[in-house]
Amino acid sequence: MNTMTLWHISIWEFAALAAAALLVGFSKTAVSGANTVSLAIFAAVLPARASTGVLLPVLIAGDVLAVLTYRRHAHWPTLWRLFPAVAVGVVGGTLFLTWADDGIVRTSIGAILLLMAAVTLWRRRVVAAQEEEPDSVLTRTGRIKARSYGALGGFTTMVANAGGPVMSMYLLSAGFRKLGFLGTSAFFFLIVNVAKVPFSVGLGLIDGNSLLLDAALVAFVVPGAFIGKWAANRINQVFFERLVIAATVVGGAQLLLR
């Protein structure tokens, strides 16, 4: 079957999906959370639930490129703290998808993203003079925060591939600098997104047709990743953090207003 007719999409709609795939590559190597815009584009062009299954392999391709780029900068103690709570969130998200319609999903995720951005902005203002290190995840407060964000990140990534902004807010609040942020999030999402594949297949979100469309879109992820790496090397820490928060707000607003 011709890929261009898989979802009855026009050449312009395919071009929009290709641009979204390019943005996935950029977000994975530059501004994590920016791919919420990609999520919105996929959901606008394709059926909303089906779009999450088409987008997942594209995200995994971006994750692989991000790991290859920033593999030396991952903070594994943070990852090990997050994974058990993320697993709980993924299971919860799977159960949620069995009954929630598209409107409930979009509203829930959009509200969560905006709440996370507001909490992060408030916290950064209150503790502006405090320099937290990633090792803060080893404290009691750090463990509670990791479990809370981990469960929420697992839920949002399963329901709408929207875990990026949630985990971005967590990593910023934990005091990660740019390279540590990118390296840790790269491994986190590669592992979590691969683990989501069986759930998505079981829900009927990934099938042979969706994978054919993915095969055409993955080619656009690669140049996006190279552009992102070039941009990341030229973005200072303060501007980087502002971009991440702005991308989160835009993504959350798009989901609420659709």
Side-chain angles (χ1 to χ4, degrees):
M1 185 181 295
N2 190 321
T3 301
M4 294 300 293
T5 64
L6 287 176
W7 298 95
H8 308 290
I9 58 178
S10 68
I11 187 66
W12 299 111
E13 289 172 328
F14 182 81
L17 294 177
L22 188 84
L23 184 57
V24 166
F26 177 84
S27 70
K28 293 295 184 179
T29 56
V31 183
S32 181
N35 61 9
T36 52
V37 178
S38 301
L39 185 159
I41 293 173
F42 269 70
V45 173
L46 305 174
R49 281 174 61 89
S51 71
T52 64
V54 176
L55 181 57
L56 182 56
V58 176
L59 293 173
I60 291 173
D63 293 327
V64 171
L65 293 171
V67 164
L68 292 175
T69 304
Y70 299 115
R71 61 188 178 278
R72 292 178 297 175
H73 303 286
H75 190 259
W76 284 98
T78 294
L79 291 171
W80 293 125
R81 293 283 182 187
L82 287 169
F83 285 141
V86 171
V88 173
V90 168
V91 172
T94 302
L95 295 175
F96 182 71
L97 281 173
T98 62
W99 67 268
D101 61 24
D102 290 338
I104 293 174
V105 170
R106 284 194 301 269
T107 301
S108 300
I109 300 301
I112 288 169
L113 297 185
L114 292 179
L115 177 62
M116 291 301 98
V119 169
T120 299
L121 287 171
W122 171 80
R123 187 181 178 282
R124 287 168 65 78
R125 175 170 293 186
V126 171
V127 295
Q130 181 179 349
E131 285 287 336
E132 280 191 277
E133 295 299 327
D135 285 336
S136 65
V137 297
L138 301 177
T139 67
R140 182 173 181 274
T141 300
R143 288 194 296 270
I144 293 173
K145 184 165 65 174
R147 290 167 186 163
S148 300
Y149 275 89
L152 184 59
F155 178 83
T156 54
T157 194
M158 187 64 227
V159 170
N161 290 316
V166 175
M167 297 317 301
S168 294
M169 296 300 97
Y170 170 69
L171 294 175
L172 286 183
S173 71
F176 277 83
R177 307 299 291 174
K178 181 172 61 178
L179 291 179
F181 177 109
L182 291 168
T184 303
S185 64
F187 273 100
F188 175 85
F189 282 108
L190 176 61
I191 294 169
V192 170
N193 283 334
V194 169
K196 285 162 48 183
V197 171
F199 293 94
S200 295
V201 172
L203 290 167
L205 301 176
I206 294 178
D207 58 20
N209 286 342
S210 69
L211 290 175
L212 282 176
L213 182 55
D214 287 321
L217 293 174
V218 163
F220 296 92
V221 178
V222 178
F226 280 106
I227 294 170
K229 185 177 185 301
W230 174 86
N233 291 332
R234 290 160 175 78
I235 299 174
N236 66 39
Q237 181 67 26
V238 173
F239 187 54
F240 171 80
E241 294 178 4
R242 289 174 179 171
L243 283 176
V244 170
I245 294 172
T248 301
V249 172
V250 170
Q254 285 178 328
L255 290 170
L256 280 176
L257 296 175
R258 282 196 63 235

